[in-house]
Amino acid sequence: MFKKQIIAIAATLLAGHGASALAADAKTVEVMHWWTSGGEAKALGVLKDNLKERGYAWKDSPIAGGGGEAARTVLKARVASNNPPDAIQMLGFTIPEYAAEGYLANLDPVATKEGWDKLVPPPIQRFSKVDGHWIAAPVDVHRTNWIWANKKIFDELKLTPPKTFDELVTAAAAIRKAGYIPLAHGGQPWQEATIFDSAVMSAGGPKFYQQALVKLDTGALGSKTMEKAFDQMRALRGMVDPNFPGRDWNLATSMVISGKAAMQIMGDWAKGEFASAGKKANVDYLCFQYPGTEGTFIFNTDQFATFKKGEASVPGEQAFASTIMDKGVQARFNQIKGSIPARLDVPEDGFDECGKKSMTDLRSALKADAMVGSFAHGHAMPDGPKTAVYDVVTHFFNSNQSSADAVKALVSAVNNSK
Ligand code: BGC
């Protein structure tokens, strides 16, 4: 399926790049990514500076578009025309898919020297390694089951973080009555999918989440519990403003920062935007878990894979992988980005309270088997079913479909995609 897509794209492109496209400057590493928001760009600066210190120039290839859909499309086209970048940001199942086709370079030499095996949590390694070989370097651990709230609005209305979904609904009504938008949302499929991660977890807990979104079990997908997840999505739809369609995630975050809206359900890259605007945790904004998901950790890890491009590229690519996994880099990068380090040995000093909470929660969720991959960000199921579920979730959010019908659609979409 994946190979066919690449071949199909290649057929639509003019051939002829050939080997010349691969003969890049050996002292330059071209890095493709989708980190173009204010907070993301600042965090990226940490990686750029460190690579420079190692004697390599950074050639920046940003492809705007939160969630990375646009970047993945451009990558397919570049691979098809035999002109991939040296390194690219990748999520979840995309990594083993490219590795299976033989495109990715083996990072074992640097991974072994630096002892990555002992540093990275197993649920993340599951995507960084194929057949026991390292093929990607994880830089962060993001979490999707967060709510970001404007503290001034919460204080004014004497609200505290809701503990149950019903409390969230009650708080939203009070916020609306006071003239604020309860929920800042960007109507793009990946953002709706990001909310769905939390709704499924809240409705059924980590075992149900795994059964439905990781194992794709028909019974779980078609269950009453899944209907409850859609019921939550319907209630959330009622909390947004009329201008949500198409809005970028960082513009939604700005609405919370400026006090136009009270909350946003988003991964902790949103925290990078608060930080970039000079806002402080528990002073200007609050961070708390989506009600009903406390104790669970829905993760999304940014990794960088490098492409096989011949001997000349090897030193630059290995140096780049070392940059990504550098202990000091992971501390500085993640303090800006809003995430926490993929290395478990980075101390929590310098992280704000939301970051520290994430670090503690990750460790306990790991023990309790409550750390699960984000469906929205490609860590729960491969690309085929993921796209099918995206369509179901977005159609539901943007129509008047009933939860019972959405569940039926979900079951058939997943079965057809297998
Ligand atoms: C990435 C984050 C990024 C976010 C918004 C996610 O897919 O994992 O690193 O900040 O998209 O662009």
Side-chain angles (χ1 to χ4, degrees):
M1 166 77 176
F2 180 70
K3 184 81 173 177
K4 270 196 216 137
Q5 280 174 357
I6 298 274
I7 292 169
I9 294 167
T12 65
L13 294 166
L14 288 174
H17 280 290
S20 65
L22 299 181
D25 173 2
K27 281 305 233 180
T28 298
V29 182
E30 186 198 353
V31 185
M32 197 191 257
H33 61 87
W34 60 93
W35 287 335
T36 55
S37 79
E40 291 172 336
K42 277 187 194 157
L44 192 71
V46 175
L47 307 183
K48 287 182 181 170
D49 290 348
N50 185 275
L51 187 70
K52 214 188 283 166
E53 281 163 23
R54 291 171 194 264
Y56 291 89
W58 176 293
K59 181 174 176 218
D60 205 36
S61 289
I63 310 289
E69 207 62 52
R72 284 186 285 278
T73 305
V74 171
L75 179 67
K76 272 190 194 146
R78 286 198 48 182
V79 169
S81 59
N82 198 20
N83 180 31
D86 297 304
I88 177 157
Q89 176 184 3
M90 274 191 188
L91 301 178
F93 280 92
T94 310
I95 305 167
E97 277 172 2
Y98 273 95
E101 302 301 341
Y103 292 122
L104 302 185
N106 184 327
L107 299 174
D108 281 349
V110 57
T112 309
K113 194 166 143 231
E114 298 177 0
W116 296 1
D117 271 334
K118 291 202 189 74
L119 298 172
V120 176
I124 294 174
Q125 285 197 31
R126 183 238 175 283
F127 297 105
S128 327
K129 288 175 86 171
V130 165
D131 297 334
H133 299 294
W134 284 88
I135 35 96
V139 71
D140 61 30
V141 190
H142 275 298
R143 183 185 200 181
T144 63
N145 54 316
W146 282 111
I147 296 187
W148 309 94
N150 180 295
K151 186 165 183 300
K152 207 160 154 251
I153 300 179
F154 265 53
D155 287 350
E156 180 195 319
L157 304 179
K158 300 195 172 38
L159 296 171
T160 51
K163 292 268 175 278
T164 62
F165 191 76
D166 286 347
E167 281 181 31
L168 176 69
V169 172
T170 309
I175 293 164
R176 178 82 80 198
K177 207 165 154 222
Y180 303 107
I181 299 162
L183 192 64
H185 175 63
Q188 296 171 349
W190 75 271
Q191 295 188 61
E192 270 128 35
T194 300
I195 298 179
F196 192 64
D197 275 359
S198 286
V200 172
M201 183 64 92
S202 173
K207 282 213 175 69
F208 175 77
Y209 183 104
Q210 297 258 29
Q211 204 64 24
L213 298 184
V214 179
K215 295 185 184 144
L216 301 179
D217 174 78
T218 305
L221 289 167
S223 65
K224 285 278 168 210
T225 307
M226 189 55 86
E227 254 184 67
K228 285 195 187 129
F230 280 102
D231 288 347
Q232 291 194 6
M233 294 296 286
R234 178 61 68 232
L236 295 169
R237 172 68 178 79
M239 298 177 195
V240 309
D241 67 317
N243 298 324
F244 79 94
R247 179 187 286 142
D248 286 332
W249 68 273
N250 51 324
L251 298 182
T253 311
S254 298
M255 291 165 65
V256 180
I257 294 176
S258 69
K260 220 174 146 193
M263 297 179 283
Q264 182 184 20
I265 301 163
M266 189 43 65
D268 34 22
W269 43 92
K271 198 179 69 166
E273 296 307 291
F274 283 98
S276 169
K279 303 295 178 193
K280 300 257 173 300
N282 292 339
V283 176
D284 305 299
Y285 67 94
L286 303 170
C287 60
F288 48 89
Q289 269 29 85
Y290 182 102
T293 72
E294 186 63 61
T296 71
F297 197 110
I298 310 179
F299 78 95
N300 166 30
T301 285
D302 291 298
Q303 311 217 25
F304 282 90
T306 56
F307 278 83
K308 283 184 189 157
K309 297 184 106 185
E311 288 307 308
S313 294
V314 171
E317 292 189 350
Q318 303 270 329
F320 175 78
S322 255
T323 286
I324 296 297
M325 292 300 289
D326 183 275
K327 197 171 172 182
V329 165
Q330 290 216 355
R332 290 192 298 283
F333 171 88
N334 286 291
Q335 284 162 17
I336 302 173
K337 182 73 168 57
S339 38
I340 58 173
R343 290 176 65 123
L344 287 173
D345 64 340
V346 179
E348 61 169 42
D349 323 326
F351 283 84
D352 61 24
E353 286 171 51
C354 314
K356 283 181 183 152
K357 177 169 175 357
S358 221
M359 285 169 129
T360 310
D361 287 359
L362 179 127
R363 281 161 181 77
S364 49
L366 257 178
K367 281 193 201 121
D369 212 11
M371 179 176 175
V372 301
S374 158
F375 140 69
H377 298 270
H379 287 76
M381 59 186 84
D383 213 42
K386 188 192 101 174
T387 308
V389 179
Y390 260 47
D391 288 348
V392 172
V393 171
T394 282
H395 173 70
F396 176 81
F397 199 79
N398 293 283
S399 71
N400 292 323
Q401 194 180 35
S402 71
S403 299
D405 285 348
V407 162
K408 280 188 210 132
L410 183 67
V411 170
S412 60
V414 169
N415 287 339
N416 292 339
S417 74
K418 277 182 185 165

